[in-house]
Amino acid sequence: MVRTGSASVAAGPTLAVVAREAGVSVPTASKVVNGREDVAPETRRRVTEALDRLGYVRRPRFDAAKTSGLVDLVVHSLETSWSGAVLHGVEAAAHDAGLEVVVSAGLTRNRAGRPDRGWMDKLTARGSSGVLFNLAELTSSQYGWLDQHRIPYVLIDPVLEPPPGVVSVGAANWQGGVTATEHLLALGHERIAVVAGHQRKMCSSARVAGYRSALAAAGMRQRPEYVRHAGFEESAAHRRTLELLDLPGPPTAVFVCSDHMALGVYEALAERGLRVPDDISVVGFDDLPEARWTTPALTTVRQPLSEMAATALRLLVRMMEGERPESTRTELSTRLVERASTAPPRD
C-alpha cells in the first residue's frame, strides 16, 4: 500500500447518510455524485455541500495497473513564467521516466472558492496513477479522498503547511531571505525594508523570518513599519512601496519576496523620481525571466523551480512503485544572483 497522507482514512459515510443530511432521496444524491444534469441547482448545492461536509468518498472506477503511464499536474495558473518553469521541469522528468502528463489549472476549487469535486472525478475517469500539486490549497476532505483511493501525490511549493506525512518539495526560503538581507547589509544598508507576500503562506513567512534573522544577527534594529505585505500582487507591491517612501525615515533598500512584485516596486520608485540602485537598492526572489528584462536587471534570490518540479516527479514515481521517501519534506537550495539593482547607499 502506498501511504500518501497523514494517517489511514476510515471508510466514509454511505450515500444514504449523505442523502439524509441533504434532505433528498438516495437516487437524487446518486445523480449529483455521478454528474447527472437532471437535478435542480438548489438540490445540487445541498447535496454537494453534504458530500464535502461528511467527506463522502466515491469509489475508484479505473484499473490503475492498466494506466500506470499517466500522471496529473494540477497548477494554480498557466499564465505566469513561474508555471512555465514548473511545467518544463515536470515534462523533462516525465519524459525520462516514460510517463505522460495531464495538466490542469486551478481545478481544486470552484468559482465560489469552495472545494471542487469535479477534478477528482476526472482523475479517476482518466485512471491517473499519481498527482503533482503546485501551489494548491487542498482541503482535509481532498487529502482524505486521495488517501482513501491510494493515489500517490506530491506537493510542489505548498501554500500552507501540509498535514503530517504528506510529501512535498520546496525551496530553502528562510535561507533565501537571510541571503538577500545579508547582501544588502554587506553593501552598507541599515534601513532595509521587506515587501512580502501573504502572511499565511509558508514561503512568504519563511522569507520574512530569514530577513529578520539576518538583521538580528547583524545587531540591527528591526522596524515593524518596514515590513509590508502585498499578497504577491504587482499592484499591491506598488502601493506598499509608496507607503514605505512616505515614512519619516524611508528605507535605502528593499527586499521584495518575488520578482513579479519587484516590477511594482520599480514602478513606484520611478513615479517618485528615484533611481535603482543610485537612490535605493532592490533585491527580488525567484529569478524568473523578467528579473533579467527589467532596467536595471534585478539582483534576486534564485529558487530552482524546474529542479523542484523534476524532483517532485521523481519522488512521485518512487511512490507509484510502492516506495516511501525517507523524508516528507525536500528543500532545494537557493542562491543570490547579483545583477545591477543593488549598490552601497548614498551618503
Side-chain angles (χ1 to χ4, degrees):
M1 174 177 176
V2 178
R3 296 293 303 127
T4 58
S6 56
S8 60
V9 179
T14 65
L15 196 58
V17 173
V18 173
R20 185 168 61 251
E21 176 75 10
V24 301
S25 66
V26 173
T28 298
S30 177
K31 289 180 180 180
V32 174
V33 169
N34 288 289
R36 293 272 296 275
E37 298 295 333
D38 52 338
V39 180
E42 175 61 21
T43 301
R44 184 182 302 278
R45 181 191 64 78
R46 295 205 316 271
V47 174
T48 300
E49 290 180 352
L51 289 169
D52 292 331
R53 185 164 58 249
L54 296 175
Y56 176 80
V57 175
R58 183 175 182 177
R59 301 303 175 192
R61 298 175 295 173
F62 64 92
D63 183 355
K66 297 180 181 178
T67 56
S68 58
L70 186 67
V71 297
D72 269 56
L73 169 63
V74 180
V75 298
H76 177 70
S77 169
L78 290 172
E79 299 176 352
T80 64
S81 52
W82 168 289
S83 298
V86 170
L87 285 171
H88 175 76
V90 170
E91 289 177 346
H95 176 77
D96 292 341
L99 296 172
E100 298 291 334
V101 180
V102 176
V103 181
S104 304
L107 295 184
T108 55
R109 292 181 180 270
N110 59 28
R111 292 181 179 179
R114 296 175 179 172
D116 189 350
R117 298 181 58 85
W119 68 269
M120 295 188 287
D121 291 338
K122 291 177 182 178
L123 179 69
T124 55
R126 281 194 294 270
S128 295
S129 298
V131 190
L132 296 173
F133 294 100
N134 178 224
L135 294 176
E137 296 184 58
L138 300 183
T139 65
S140 58
S141 63
Q142 289 169 336
Y143 280 120
W145 184 92
L146 290 162
D147 283 342
Q148 182 70 25
H149 286 71
R150 301 182 182 182
I151 298 175
Y153 60 96
V154 178
L155 309 184
I156 304 171
D157 198 17
V159 173
L160 306 176
E161 184 74 33
V166 172
V167 177
S168 66
V169 178
N173 289 295
W174 180 86
Q175 185 58 53
V178 170
T179 301
T181 310
E182 286 182 340
H183 171 67
L184 295 170
L185 289 167
L187 289 172
H189 291 277
E190 298 182 357
R191 304 200 307 270
I192 304 172
V194 59
V195 176
H198 293 282
Q199 284 183 282
R200 67 186 185 91
K201 289 192 175 182
M202 285 179 60
C203 63
S204 179
S205 59
R207 292 168 195 175
V208 174
Y211 155 84
R212 287 178 168 143
S213 294
L215 291 180
M220 303 294 295
R221 181 171 69 90
Q222 299 180 41
R223 306 186 185 197
E225 68 273 19
Y226 275 7
V227 179
R228 305 281 168 152
H229 290 86
F232 291 112
E233 296 179 2
E234 180 180 343
S235 59
H238 174 272
R239 294 192 298 270
R240 299 293 90 80
T241 302
L242 294 178
E243 293 170 2
L244 288 169
L245 296 177
D246 288 336
L247 292 173
T252 62
V254 182
F255 166 39
V256 192
C257 288
S258 80
D259 293 347
H260 181 67
M261 289 195 298
L263 301 179
V265 173
Y266 268 40
E267 183 180 2
L269 296 175
E271 283 184 13
R272 294 293 179 89
L274 298 175
R275 296 170 298 171
V276 179
D278 297 346
D279 300 310
I280 189 165
S281 290
V282 181
V283 176
F285 202 109
D286 287 331
D287 196 27
L288 297 175
E290 46 262 46
R292 300 187 297 274
W293 300 339
T294 58
T295 302
L298 182 66
T299 294
T300 189
V301 175
R302 181 182 186 272
Q303 61 170 334
L305 296 175
S306 293
E307 293 91 331
M308 287 161 52
T311 298
L313 190 282
R314 288 190 287 268
L315 286 171
L316 182 64
V317 170
R318 290 174 52 191
M319 295 168 67
M320 289 162 53
E321 294 173 347
E323 297 184 31
R324 183 64 184 170
E326 296 78 12
S327 174
T328 58
R329 173 69 178 178
T330 300
E331 281 196 356
L332 275 62
S333 61
T334 54
R335 64 180 178 86
L336 185 73
V337 179
E338 293 188 47
R339 296 194 176 98
S341 66
T342 55
R346 297 177 64 179
D347 293 337

